[in-house]
Amino acid sequence: MEKNYRQQYHLMPETGFMNDPNGLCFYNGEYHIFHQYAPKGLKAERGWGYFTTKDFVNYKNYGMVIFPDSRWDKHGSYSGSALVDDGEMELFYTGNVKQPGDYDYIYSGREHNIIYLKSKDGVNFSEKELLMTNDDYPENCSCHVRDPKVWKEGENLYKMILGARTRDDIGEALLYSSNDKKHWILEKTFTKPDLGYMWECPDFFEIGGKTVLAFCPQGVDSKGIEYNNIFQSGYCFVDGENLSKFTEFDRGFEFYAPQTFLAPDGRRIIIGWFGLPDVPYGNPSEEKENWIHCLTIPRTLEFKENKLWQEPIEELKKLRTEEITVKLEHGKTNIFPKVQCEALLKFENKSESFDISLRKDINISLKNGIFTLKMGDSGFGRTERSCHIDCTDSVRIFSDTSSVEIFVNGEVFSSRVYEENTEKFSIILNSSSELCNLTYYPLRSFEITKIS
Ligand code: FRU
């Protein structure tokens, strides 16, 4: 089987299907990265796969560690989170069950159960314990209530947020509290007009004096250059009962179901699923190489310039093997040895207008206050995405075998890209209002040790 598209520094499945990152946490000197996983593809039920790392460069891959093998999760061990407490990693997730019969599986026929288990090593787990069933959620909810994110607030207070769809097709987030992690009381419901019929994968945290509710609404209409993907992933600032404008985390084609967690040095890190369900564009790795999707590179979040500002985590600098700086000349094709790279564009002064071509047929431009990423044929149906950027002094591009993640002014544009036999990285400055230097860093691959 061909191996053209396999990523070098993104976590991806050996075979089959990967989706949401789950149970992200730092525990016992390591970062723990679980994820939704169906190694035999989507016809099999999903469980949790598992990676650990101390440095975001060297990883251990444990394969599938939580299986959909109980009465409460037999049709999928769906998404959930980790709480590090009492010296253990405690996991809360949604067990999916479809009752046999003629059901729509939205308003009837589906169980979404909250399951609890704990572990000291991520491989050996306690017995699964059932904490909540659909009978415990508010009466106006449909069967779709899932994706618990749990955290601790103070000595004996725990909080959990769940994503939900009401019987009237309104997306909501349900905030619960508990003193013992087992019995949960509903405190508050968040919703917002015109934000879809279902909210998946909620998250809730404080940052820079702000309270943030992150979630993935389904069914939001696109509005100009905003909300152009089939489903969104973004956040609102919370002020009492009020939610500020919903802002997308990523301006590209695919970033979904992210989770945030705290590193021991206080950084809030976010990792997303580098994919989306039900998209109109293609992922040829599935047919040609029997794997589909990966996770995004980890990014730090900060409250800056009135928004959540994202940067790639510092640890990725350890992947750099060399540094080459060139002044970009208009119209000249610059070819560098390796497509797996970081390319840092620095403008002499803040630039208000430029047009740059990358790789086979990707284009990025800034014009009239709008930054645009345009994909050609190698985007397999991905077309163009934009966001407001007045001017910028730098653009940072992470290019892997089959993806690009472009950082500009705290925004990110992520896209999968499928080129045949790509080895080299090329870039052309078609036009620019400012002189532009490029620093090119070839990146080495992650070291992944398989633990079986
Ligand atoms: C988001 C999601 C979650 C669910 C999981 C199942 O991508 O639909 O809401 O728990 O995927 O894999």
Side-chain angles (χ1 to χ4, degrees):
M1 186 154 278
E2 286 181 78
K3 293 279 185 271
N4 268 327
Y5 301 133
R6 289 191 76 82
Q7 300 274 63
Q8 300 292 309
Y9 61 91
H10 286 80
L11 295 177
M12 52 174 286
E14 264 177 67
T15 61
F17 182 92
M18 168 188 261
N19 57 309
D20 316 357
N22 290 154
L24 304 183
C25 64
F26 184 83
Y27 165 72
N28 244 355
E30 285 185 309
Y31 296 97
H32 299 259
I33 304 174
F34 298 89
H35 61 89
Q36 289 286 285
Y37 187 29
K40 297 212 167 81
L42 273 186
K43 288 202 180 89
E45 303 299 355
R46 293 166 220 194
W48 285 29
Y50 180 44
F51 294 94
T52 59
T53 181
K54 289 191 165 80
D55 54 11
F56 291 107
V57 170
N58 298 285
Y59 288 84
K60 287 184 186 148
N61 180 3
Y62 291 86
M64 184 104 130
V65 291
I66 297 181
F67 295 83
D69 57 4
S70 80
R71 145 82 189 84
W72 309 308
D73 65 354
K74 62 179 163 195
H75 299 124
S77 313
Y78 275 12
S79 284
S81 59
L83 172 75
V84 175
D85 199 28
D86 297 333
E88 280 180 302
M89 212 163 29
E90 297 174 272
L91 305 177
F92 301 78
Y93 71 87
T94 298
N96 182 53
V97 177
K98 286 171 100 175
Q99 292 160 354
D102 183 21
Y103 293 113
D104 58 30
Y105 296 109
I106 300 171
Y107 312 102
S108 63
R110 185 189 293 272
E111 295 170 30
H112 270 173
N113 301 309
I114 297 193
I115 297 174
Y116 167 91
L117 36 74
K118 55 187 179 178
S119 177
K120 286 196 193 300
D121 57 13
V123 181
N124 298 295
F125 294 92
S126 61
E127 290 277 305
K128 291 179 183 174
E129 204 176 312
L130 178 67
L131 297 190
M132 284 166 97
T133 70
N134 291 76
D135 291 341
D136 299 304
Y137 311 135
E139 255 177 32
N140 71 337
C141 283
S142 70
C143 304
H144 287 258
V145 180
R146 60 174 171 264
D147 306 335
K149 173 82 197 265
V150 176
W151 68 99
K152 190 173 183 177
E153 272 185 22
E155 252 320 282
N156 272 318
L157 181 60
Y158 300 91
K159 296 282 176 85
M160 171 168 70
I161 193 143
L162 291 174
R165 171 179 186 155
T166 66
R167 297 198 156 268
D168 302 328
D169 301 323
I170 307 281
E172 287 185 346
L174 311 174
L175 180 66
Y176 286 83
S177 67
S178 169
N179 297 125
D180 63 1
K181 302 177 252 190
K182 302 288 171 74
H183 303 89
W184 294 91
I185 297 164
L186 182 65
E187 266 191 14
K188 214 185 236 185
T189 301
F190 294 104
T191 188
K192 194 170 164 69
D194 304 325
L195 269 185
Y197 57 81
M198 168 71 192
W199 291 4
E200 294 190 311
C201 299
D203 199 344
F204 196 87
F205 53 90
E206 304 280 330
I207 192 163
K210 290 277 179 185
T211 304
V212 176
L213 172 65
F215 54 100
C216 296
Q218 300 191 318
V220 180
D221 291 336
S222 64
K223 213 169 136 200
I225 57 174
E226 288 185 304
Y227 318 143
N228 280 313
N229 291 332
I230 179 162
F231 303 134
Q232 278 68 47
S233 165
Y235 64 90
C236 300
F237 294 115
V238 183
D239 183 5
E241 306 296 311
N242 293 327
L243 299 182
S244 71
K245 181 179 187 286
F246 176 75
T247 305
E248 288 166 272
F249 275 123
D250 197 283
R251 307 301 182 160
F253 295 91
E254 49 230 308
F255 179 88
Y256 198 65
Q259 219 174 66
T260 74
F261 63 103
L262 281 177
D265 58 9
R267 288 178 297 170
R268 186 158 289 274
I269 298 176
I270 183 168
I271 300 177
W273 171 28
F274 208 152
L276 265 179
D278 308 331
V279 280
Y281 22 86
N283 289 293
S285 65
E286 185 172 28
E287 199 180 306
K288 291 196 167 163
E289 300 179 5
N290 190 29
W291 67 277
I292 179 166
H293 304 309
C294 58
L295 301 184
T296 66
I297 56 173
R299 315 165 178 177
T300 51
L301 290 180
E302 250 182 290
F303 178 64
K304 190 168 145 188
E305 297 190 6
N306 230 12
K307 66 179 185 183
L308 291 184
W309 183 286
Q310 298 170 73
E311 294 288 350
I313 52 162
E314 280 293 303
E315 283 89 335
L316 293 176
K317 289 187 177 159
K318 291 184 281 191
L319 296 174
R320 296 172 175 175
T321 56
E322 212 185 319
E323 176 176 326
I324 304 168
T325 299
V326 294
K327 182 175 267 175
L328 292 181
E329 286 169 37
H330 285 187
K332 182 182 164 203
T333 309
N334 301 270
I335 300 181
F336 296 96
K338 221 180 151 191
V339 74
Q340 295 86 8
C341 69
E342 185 188 332
L344 178 63
L345 294 158
K346 278 232 170 232
F347 298 98
E348 209 115 296
N349 294 298
K350 286 203 166 180
S351 177
E352 288 174 3
S353 123
F354 54 79
D355 186 291
I356 293 167
S357 301
L358 300 177
R359 295 182 54 157
K360 180 168 170 253
D361 52 12
I362 303 174
N363 183 270
I364 55 174
S365 63
L366 179 63
K367 203 176 167 196
N368 300 332
I370 305 271
F371 185 100
T372 300
L373 165 67
K374 229 185 243 173
M375 305 297 292
D377 289 349
S378 62
F380 275 77
R382 292 159 183 86
T383 51
E384 70 177 66
R385 293 285 182 270
S386 299
C387 96
H388 291 280
I389 299 278
D390 288 335
C391 56
T392 189
D393 56 7
S394 67
V395 178
R396 200 162 162 193
I397 301 161
F398 281 82
S399 162
D400 200 346
T401 321
S402 56
S403 68
V404 287
E405 284 150 293
I406 299 167
F407 290 76
V408 52
N409 291 15
E411 304 288 344
V412 196
F413 286 74
S414 301
S415 182
R416 300 303 304 281
V417 48
Y418 297 96
E419 297 161 3
E420 291 297 327
N421 303 315
T422 319
E423 280 175 15
K424 298 189 187 332
F425 180 77
S426 63
I427 186 161
I428 309 172
L429 182 70
N430 301 312
S431 65
S432 168
S433 58
E434 294 294 328
L435 293 176
C436 181
N437 281 324
L438 170 83
T439 305
Y440 167 85
Y441 305 93
L443 299 183
R444 67 190 165 91
S445 308
F446 280 167
E447 297 287 335
I448 302 185
T449 308
K450 202 174 157 188
I451 314 284
S452 48

